[in-house]
Amino acid sequence: IKKIVVFDGGPRNTKFSKTTFMVNHFCRGARSAGAEVEYVKLKDMEINSCTGCFTCWTKTPGECIFKDDMTDLRLKYRKADLIVFASPLYIFSVTGIMKNFLDRIVPNMKPYMLIENGETKHPHRYPEDRQQGFVVFSAAGFPEVEHNFDGLKGMFRCLHSHSEQTSLMGEFYMPGAELIAQPVYGERRMRVEQACYDAGEQAVKAGEIDTAFMEAVSDVEISQEQFQEQADYFWESLDGKGSYLKNCPELEYTNDA
């Protein structure tokens, strides 16, 4: 793996984003192993929403009606040996920024049907492109991985199973992510940092990622009850502050049918 492109769909900056925190250390490890890494912050790009016109499959094959930043981003996508998708968990899936980006990748596929291993997919448009891998990073507030990341996980696994060109190499899901900003959880933060660094290094050198690195990221190291107590204490500390309660409409309910 020589060329890595990160597509970051998070709206927050580096200081606050726990997803970006993981990706940055993965990239450090990858660079230490000799890979070239390009980081694309999607929120800073001009990406129009897909209209579903299918012009990219009919009138202008491979070309979208919108001449925005996606023209260049689709080319970066194709040239990468490894793609990194980074998105915090928003309502159990990716951010709207990331989903918008993924919708606009459609021109890289042909409209025809290809059946492999009992699954129907679209063939990749460019036969000269090399096979590539992809890795997913996502951070969330709730302290569980199961029944929390299921939607996001399912979408990227479908991308793996329905892609002729790209295959899933690793999934890094960090629950209870806001905790790592607290000094008392410094050891956990260091373990996540090291796991992501080692994963990036291994991905470049060996072309694979040990599941132990992913498990280190997913281990929240706190019970649900402890998490609930600490999280509720934080939110309760904000009650009564005018800036948090301002302009909250009160709904009037009646007993009318």
Side-chain angles (χ1 to χ4, degrees):
I1 292 175
K2 297 180 179 179
K3 173 68 175 178
I4 299 174
V5 179
V6 178
F7 295 107
D8 187 334
R12 303 171 87 180
N13 59 33
T14 303
K15 179 180 179 181
F16 295 105
S17 173
K18 308 308 180 293
T19 302
T20 302
F21 169 81
M22 289 189 288
V23 175
N24 282 343
H25 291 298
F26 180 88
C27 291
R28 280 202 312 114
R31 289 190 180 101
S32 75
E36 174 190 348
V37 180
E38 183 173 2
Y39 205 109
V40 179
K41 194 70 174 175
L42 294 176
K43 75 178 183 66
D44 298 327
M45 301 290 107
E46 181 189 354
I47 303 177
N48 289 284
S49 298
C50 178
T51 64
C53 68
F54 293 113
T55 300
C56 63
W57 279 357
T58 54
K59 295 180 181 179
T60 58
E63 296 183 15
C64 182
I65 59 171
F66 294 117
K67 305 308 176 187
D68 54 13
D69 288 333
M70 278 304 301
T71 303
D72 183 49
L73 294 180
R74 280 193 299 271
L75 190 59
K76 293 181 186 296
Y77 190 103
R78 289 176 53 200
K79 289 182 176 180
D81 297 315
L82 178 66
I83 296 168
V84 174
F85 293 110
S87 173
L89 195 70
Y90 272 35
I91 312 298
F92 309 107
S93 188
V94 295
T95 63
I97 299 169
M98 175 61 78
K99 184 59 169 65
N100 204 30
F101 168 77
L102 291 170
D103 289 343
R104 293 285 307 284
I105 295 297
V106 169
N108 284 356
M109 297 176 283
K110 292 181 178 180
Y112 306 105
M113 302 298 159
L114 176 67
I115 300 175
E116 288 184 350
N117 301 319
E119 295 178 330
T120 306
K121 60 186 71 175
H122 294 297
H124 187 71
R125 180 173 296 281
Y126 307 100
E128 68 272 21
D129 289 354
R130 300 186 300 271
Q131 290 290 317
Q132 59 188 186
F134 73 92
V135 181
V136 181
F137 286 88
S138 183
F142 288 160
E144 309 91 10
V145 171
E146 296 299 322
H147 309 300
N148 190 20
F149 289 94
D150 293 11
L152 184 146
K153 184 188 299 185
M155 185 189 72
F156 281 111
R157 290 188 178 186
C158 281
L159 182 63
H160 162 79
S161 62
H162 289 72
S163 173
E164 188 184 25
Q165 191 71 21
T166 309
S167 57
L168 180 61
M169 283 181 59
E171 300 170 286
F172 291 81
Y173 303 127
M174 180 165 61
E178 295 300 328
L179 294 177
I180 68 167
Q182 306 304 318
V184 70
Y185 293 104
E187 289 188 10
R188 180 192 175 200
R189 183 168 61 252
M190 291 175 61
R191 278 191 285 271
V192 169
E193 176 180 329
Q194 190 64 51
C196 292
Y197 179 93
D198 291 343
E201 186 178 47
Q202 185 186 42
V204 173
K205 290 183 175 180
E208 61 182 14
I209 300 175
D210 196 315
T211 56
F213 300 140
M214 306 175 212
E215 292 167 358
V217 168
S218 296
D219 186 359
V220 72
E221 300 179 8
I222 187 174
S223 70
Q224 288 176 307
E225 292 73 21
Q226 288 175 310
F227 177 85
Q228 179 187 31
E229 181 181 356
Q230 294 181 27
D232 286 351
Y233 177 80
F234 168 76
W235 290 113
E236 286 173 3
S237 71
L238 302 181
D239 284 355
K241 294 186 178 181
S243 60
Y244 290 92
L245 300 176
K246 192 179 299 182
N247 299 324
C248 291
E250 292 187 8
L251 301 181
E252 294 184 3
Y253 294 95
T254 67
N255 293 324
D256 297 339

